[in-house]
Amino acid sequence: MNITQITHHDLDGYGASTVAGQFVDVARIVHVPRYSDVGPVVETELKRLGKVAVPEMILMTDLGLEAVAVTFIRNFAALNRRREPEARHKLIVLDHHASSVDQMRAQNLAPEADAEVPGLLRFDLEDPDVVVLIDETRCATRMAYEHRALYAARETGEDPILGALVTAVDAVDLWRKDRPEFRIGLSLDEVFWDNVSNLVPIGHPWHDRFVGDLLLGVARLLGDGATPAVIEGQVPALRKAILDAYLADAPDDDRSLTTRMRIARVLARSDLFHPLSDGTLMSFGLDSGTFQRVSDLIMESGRAKRVLNVQRAGTMSFRSNNETALDGARRFRGGGHKDAAGGKLTSGSAFSLADAIAQVEPVLNPPAADPALSPFAALKNWKG
């Protein structure tokens, strides 16, 4: 069964996706940085699922169920009722936000306390293929681990490495300073934020694999009783070991370079950049340092003469080797140098690559004016 996971863009969200990946092959993971971005994501998924003939699974973790997410859950159940029993999709929602309970109640979905698990609330959508669990006492990573039987396709026994990861994330995400694991959880959180976007960006096939392998590497250190200082010192070695494994059969890999330099060469050959109609290659949400290195490599290779990166906050960075970066930036109220300039999206932000493309393309490459729309068009063939 094809599985899509939609999860939060924080340590708990990635912890949940790392745990899920140990028990089932997740085809696609969508990371949502802001709960306000959940709406467009789930609406797109619902439309897609309505056209899919074979059953699929959606696993939602750590999203904080706003009204639009609850509406999606209701609509998902309604969609299933219109499908044949053997073609019905599965939806599993694992959340731990108090506000989610309020939003469910607001749409007349009352919680039912689980008889065996204190703190666990279940919500009945009158569909056995739709499971909604909210537990304020457990983080999403721990819920993904403890409720793995809901989605697992592989062995579901206890795993000490995953157990160490779950314990650390649970302590720091719930801000349980009374637990001895809290300090360790803080160090894990630092490792996460220091590495989640500046090396292998979202959109590249290695992204979730890299972050997950790094979290599991730290979890192994946690299992050995490593202190925060030891963990901090070991992170570079962990990253190098992970990359060495990924590039073990790459004939052009140069291990004398830094980890970022080696990854930049991989990214420059990837499909991370989307071609616009004028040949500009555009990426979304790249770390500034990574974009600088990768854009240079792309232009040196001849793939493009101008490269653009758009951040979620709407800031734009243009790079070129033909003095056109500034021309592009000026179309977005920007400025800078001829080959290095920046601007800002008119709307102020973008929630995805597709959203960014829709905003950039018509401004950067406006369509030619239709002569038929000219007020003088009617006079073209007029003979006085």
Side-chain angles (χ1 to χ4, degrees), residues 352-375:
S352 67
L353 173 61
D355 181 32
I357 292 171
Q359 295 187 56
V360 170
E361 182 69 66
V363 178
L364 190 62
N365 304 299
D370 185 353
L373 299 179
S374 169

Side-chain angles (χ1 to χ4, degrees), residues 327-347:
D327 294 336
R330 281 172 172 160
R331 292 180 178 270
F332 296 90
R333 302 166 294 158
H337 305 285
K338 291 181 180 179
D339 280 327
K344 179 79 174 178
L345 291 177
T346 303
S347 69

